[in-house]
Every structure is written in structure tokens, then in C-alpha cells.
Amino acid sequence: GLWSRPVVGSAHIVLLPNDYAASPATVLDPFTGSRSGFFALPEHVGEPDIAGAWIEGERLILPSFPKSSNAGERDCVSAWELDTCKRAWHVWGDAGRSFDSIARCGERTYLVHLPSSVALRGVSGMVQELDTRIGAVRRIQNVNIDVDDVLVGLPRHSVVELGGPYLFLRSPSSDGAETVFRAILLPFGERWSCRIKVAPTQFYATGAMNLPVLSQTSAVLAYTRLPRGRGLTGTPETKLLVIDRENGTYEESQLPPELGSAEALQLATLDAALWIAGTNLLMTRSKP
């Protein structure tokens, strides 16, 4: 079809086209369906950008994730006034960093940048808070993302709604034998870290980790650990990791194999209970 997806707000609907270069975005009145305006999208817009777009107030917020075919494009995100169909502001990226993803928490928006493959030595990734009213950005202090760090639950080139004000990273320990989980309390900075006796290669082999689920006191995540050795003849083990939100202390327990691997699990908290839905089993755990 002509349209890729509608972006719905309280006072506007924006129809974003499939053929971004040839067709304009169309603004509709949600109550009458009549067209109130249209505007041309930037030439560098792609599918991940369209998928991540949202309406905030009277503006369309449009990310611009890196494209290999247009390395010179430096916009990270732009905003379009839907009453006038004119660009309100745009945020430029950094030549030494790669714009990776957007994390949203309530009314706050954060831009995540990773070290670029051509970055100068000593240039680390960072997290910026974006003021969507005026397009201003502020770097979150005490947050440095290295080339070996992995974002937990944030796929590349995506916009993710966080369940609470925490962003998690996992990193190899200094000796490479264990994994360090780091918690960034948004918008303040890194809060704590904890060291898990699992080699980073174990996580690489089992795929991306899901976004941690937050309760009032804990951050809960699951991972699948593959058996060691060349033959990998043992049975994979899926573990539940419950980390205290205040200080990073944790408890670990093994989940039944009927639940399946960690990437297929669905975790949810309700009052003082944790619900875990897997391939062939649904179970609850109290006091997550």
C-alpha cells in the first residue's frame, strides 16, 4: 500500500508513506479524517525511523538511525510541527559516535550513542536526555559505554519504552571470565554494578536478552547458559536473576526446562508476584 503506518496523537494522525522519497507525510484530523497538511520527509528516512516515530504534543518526533548508504547524514532525531507542517528542530549526531537507539520512560526521552568503529581512542559511548519541546540535549553524567559493552533489552536502531527509569549494560570482566551488569538510573547516571559468574561468550551464543522487568524493589531478567565444551552435549540452563534495585545484590535460581530459552520468556510483575510465561509452562514467583 501507499502508507507504511499511521502515527496517532490526541489531535493529529500522521500517515507515513512507504516510498519516503517520492511521497509526503500526510497530517489528518482524527475527528473528521480530513487532511490538514503534508510535508516532505528527509531523503535519508528508512524503515526503522518510520517504525520508531511518535507524536508528542503537537509534534511528530522522527528518529534518524545510521544508514550505511548515507554515512554523511548526521541528524539523530528531528521534530515536525503538525499545525504548520514545518520542522521545529533537529539534533545532530557526533562523528566519533554511532547513534544506536532511543529509550523512553514516561515523559522523558534518552538518546543512546555507541562508540563508532572509526572513533578516536578514548571516545566512549554516551546517553543524552532529549528535551522534546526545544530539541536540546544534556549528557547524562557518569555514563561511559565501551566497545565491548552490550545494551540489555534495547535492539539496535529502535525506540524502546522502558518499564522504569533504569538502563542496563553488560560488560566482560577485566579477566574476561565473568560478566558485569551495570545499572544506569535515569536521568542521574550509573547507580551500581554486579558481577555474575558467567562468561560473556555464553550470552553471545544465546542471542539478545530481553528488557529487564522492574518491581518496586528488584530488576528481574533471565538468561540461558549453554553447556561448556566443544561438543555442547549438555542441556542448556535458563537462569532467573533478581537484582536489588538499590544496591545491586542479587539472587539467582534455575528455571524449569519446560519454560524454554530465555529469549522466548515473557516476564511480568503484579503486586508482589512475578509471572513467567514460557513455551510449555506458566509459573509465578512471590516477592520478585
Side-chain angles (χ1 to χ4, degrees):
L2 177 62
W3 308 112
S4 174
R5 66 176 284 245
V7 185
V8 181
S10 60
H12 302 89
I13 296 175
V14 180
L15 299 179
L16 297 173
N18 274 323
D19 188 351
Y20 319 122
S23 302
T26 301
V27 183
L28 302 178
D29 185 303
F31 302 103
T32 66
S34 60
R35 188 177 75 173
S36 58
F38 60 90
F39 57 92
L41 294 173
E43 293 182 358
H44 56 81
V45 169
E47 291 184 10
D49 309 331
I50 295 295
W54 74 94
I55 292 176
E56 190 167 328
E58 303 297 319
R59 297 187 179 100
L60 176 74
I61 312 297
L62 183 66
S64 178
F65 296 114
K67 289 89 179 169
S68 58
S69 60
N70 194 355
E73 177 52 49
R74 293 185 60 194
D75 277 359
C76 286
V77 60
S78 56
W80 302 81
E81 293 282 3
L82 297 179
D83 287 336
T84 63
C85 292
K86 295 181 179 179
R87 190 169 73 172
W89 50 258
H90 67 117
V91 176
W92 278 24
D94 188 312
R97 299 178 175 93
S98 176
F99 177 42
D100 181 80
S101 50
I102 296 178
R104 301 183 63 202
C105 182
E107 297 181 352
R108 293 179 179 268
T109 299
Y110 302 93
L111 310 181
V112 181
H113 303 262
L114 300 183
S116 170
S117 58
V118 296
L120 298 176
R121 178 173 296 182
V123 176
S124 62
M126 63 181 178
V127 178
Q128 295 174 311
E129 183 174 10
L130 169 66
D131 186 332
T132 54
R133 297 170 302 164
I134 59 176
V137 292
R138 177 185 70 88
R139 181 169 181 171
I140 304 300
Q141 298 300 310
N142 192 32
V143 177
N144 296 297
I145 305 175
D146 295 326
V147 292
D148 293 330
D149 293 340
V150 178
L151 294 160
V152 178
L154 267 69
R156 296 213 67 189
H157 300 173
S158 64
V159 178
V160 176
E161 294 281 350
L162 302 178
Y166 280 89
L167 188 65
F168 293 89
L169 298 167
R170 74 170 195 259
S171 314
S173 60
S174 56
D175 59 7
E178 297 180 342
T179 298
V180 178
F181 281 92
R182 297 157 53 201
I184 299 168
L185 177 59
L186 300 168
F188 306 108
E190 186 169 326
R191 183 67 178 269
W192 49 256
S193 64
C194 64
R195 185 162 169 155
I196 310 297
K197 294 181 179 181
V198 180
T201 53
Q202 293 282 291
F203 293 106
Y204 300 149
T206 57
M209 297 181 69
N210 292 330
L211 194 69
V213 172
L214 299 178
S215 70
Q216 290 186 345
T217 59
S218 305
V220 184
L221 54 91
Y223 68 90
T224 296
R225 182 174 183 172
L226 295 178
R228 293 182 176 274
R230 295 182 179 179
L232 299 180
T233 56
T235 302
E237 297 178 342
T238 297
K239 299 291 188 71
L240 188 71
L241 199 60
V242 180
I243 309 175
D244 189 290
R245 285 173 55 164
E246 291 299 317
N247 55 33
T249 58
Y250 69 92
E251 296 179 358
E252 191 176 38
S253 58
Q254 186 166 332
L255 294 175
E258 292 83 4
L259 284 169
S261 59
E263 64 269 17
L265 296 182
Q266 295 182 11
L267 307 179
T269 56
L270 179 62
D271 296 328
L274 171 70
W275 290 76
I276 308 171
T279 306
N280 297 304
L281 184 66
L282 173 66
M283 63 178 291
T284 61
R285 170 187 169 134
S286 61
K287 298 181 181 180

